[in-house]
Amino acid sequence: MSNNFILFSGAGTRSMKDIIVIANWKMNSTARDANSFFRSFIPRLAEIQGLASKRIVVCPPFTALHACHRAISSTRLQLGAQDMYFEDKGAFTGEISAEMLKESGVKFVLAGHSERRHILGETDETINKKVLAILKNSMVPVLCVGEKLEEREKGLAKKIVGDQLKGCLKGITNDSLPKVIVAYEPVWAIGTGKNATSNEAEEMHSFIRNSLVKMFSKQSGNKVYILYGGSVNRGNAAEFSKMPNINGLLVGGASLDAGHFAEIISLA
Ligand code: PGA
């Protein structure tokens, strides 16, 4: 069970100072690209300010997991996967299991990324099964939630995010909630260059925090890391990180460049 606690130095306690920065490479980077990324990125780690209180996770495509695992083995970087199937094994052509990910050194798994919801048709029900399966396998689920532009314009952003939290966290116990990371990623901000303002993000993060406290308990809701994602870059990383309920960042496009990603981590 120890994997569950890799994030939490005490037994499940979120330190108010610690932050988590996750790179989501999406369908970019072969194993060869990943090796060249780390050749440039690892030497930069020493220059990152406040590195001791920052946890850095890289989520490459499945085919680059082994190469990444080898490349980061003597560093404090951790490995994540972009998705996982909820069944243990069997006739599920094209899917990947928890066991396969663990064998590749994975400790974190994204669940319900908006591209999986909106391009690949994943529902809250499927995502819920994935979150439960990730926890059952002692890895950390990074549950992604976020509204579309038309939903925000209709004033429905909080309702959508609240419903996603309820649907995707069904069956999670008070004890296991702090082992889940939540990432707020407004769909309209992903890959568009139009990030939410830090105040817009903080408003949603504080809504997420309050919802978790209501759905579970004050104690466990307050322990959850809530990350912001959506067009994070060197220009806005510091702003987000100042907000009280933003406990880290999920970085897509800008994490593919070793120099940019190192700078974002420094600023976070
Ligand atoms: P972006 O992607 O930083 O390229 O907007 C974020 C994400 O989808 O996780």
Side-chain angles (χ1 to χ4, degrees):
M1 289 300 283
S2 64
N3 278 350
N4 280 350
F5 294 105
I6 40 181
L7 273 178
F8 313 105
S9 28
T13 310
R14 178 170 69 90
S15 147
M16 296 312 281
K17 287 187 295 212
D18 279 12
I19 61 143
I20 301 173
V21 184
I22 303 181
N24 173 15
W25 287 353
K26 311 192 181 189
M27 202 174 72
N28 299 294
S29 286
T30 59
R32 185 200 295 240
D33 296 333
N35 280 326
S36 96
F37 174 91
F38 286 117
R39 268 197 300 278
S40 158
F41 183 70
I42 290 171
R44 294 171 201 258
L45 280 173
E47 293 156 26
I48 291 176
Q49 293 160 29
L51 188 66
S53 60
K54 293 173 180 178
R55 294 164 203 265
I56 306 160
V57 181
V58 178
C59 303
F62 298 136
T63 50
L65 283 171
H66 274 291
C68 290
H69 188 43
R70 264 198 308 274
I72 66 177
S73 59
S74 55
T75 71
R76 58 196 303 287
L77 302 173
Q78 288 179 307
L79 200 54
Q82 298 173 20
D83 189 32
M84 185 191 101
Y85 199 54
F86 51 79
E87 297 287 359
D88 291 339
K89 57 155 86 171
F92 304 104
T93 302
E95 293 296 331
I96 194 148
S97 74
E99 209 51 46
M100 295 166 189
L101 294 182
K102 285 197 282 187
E103 185 190 52
S104 311
V106 167
K107 309 276 190 218
F108 297 75
V109 186
L110 305 186
H113 187 278
S114 81
E115 285 143 22
R116 301 221 48 98
R117 289 175 186 268
H118 303 302
I119 303 174
L120 294 148
E122 279 189 18
T123 61
D124 286 344
E125 204 187 335
T126 315
I127 297 161
N128 178 229
K129 288 184 186 162
K130 292 186 177 187
V131 170
L132 291 168
I134 297 163
L135 284 171
K136 186 182 93 180
N137 283 285
S138 305
M139 293 182 285
V140 177
V142 182
L143 168 64
C144 304
V145 295
E147 81 287 355
K148 294 194 219 158
L149 183 58
E150 61 266 31
E151 294 162 342
R152 174 161 281 259
E153 284 170 350
K154 285 186 197 146
L156 293 174
K158 287 182 184 155
K159 160 134 191 33
I160 296 289
V161 169
D163 287 350
Q164 289 174 341
L165 289 173
K166 282 192 203 108
C168 299
L169 294 174
K170 264 194 199 130
I172 304 287
T173 60
N174 247 326
D175 283 350
S176 53
L177 181 72
K179 297 168 197 162
V180 177
I181 295 175
V182 174
Y184 170 57
E185 296 205 303
V187 181
W188 46 274
I190 297 179
T192 57
K194 279 189 223 142
N195 58 279
T197 64
S198 51
N199 285 326
E200 279 169 338
E202 171 59 24
E203 191 183 334
M204 185 61 87
H205 281 229
S206 106
F207 168 78
I208 293 172
R209 173 85 57 218
N210 291 334
S211 304
L212 294 174
V213 164
K214 266 191 229 147
M215 286 164 61
F216 294 89
S217 68
K218 193 168 177 195
Q219 219 199 1
S220 54
N222 279 333
K223 284 181 189 163
V224 175
Y225 283 82
I226 309 174
L227 315 187
Y228 171 79
S231 295
V232 171
N233 58 38
R234 296 179 288 179
N236 57 29
E239 273 305 304
F240 288 121
S241 310
K242 279 188 210 143
M243 296 303 192
N245 284 295
I246 300 185
N247 316 118
L249 302 167
L250 177 48
V251 189
S255 70
L256 289 165
D257 180 292
H260 289 195
F261 188 49
E263 215 176 310
I264 289 171
I265 299 165
S266 262
L267 292 163

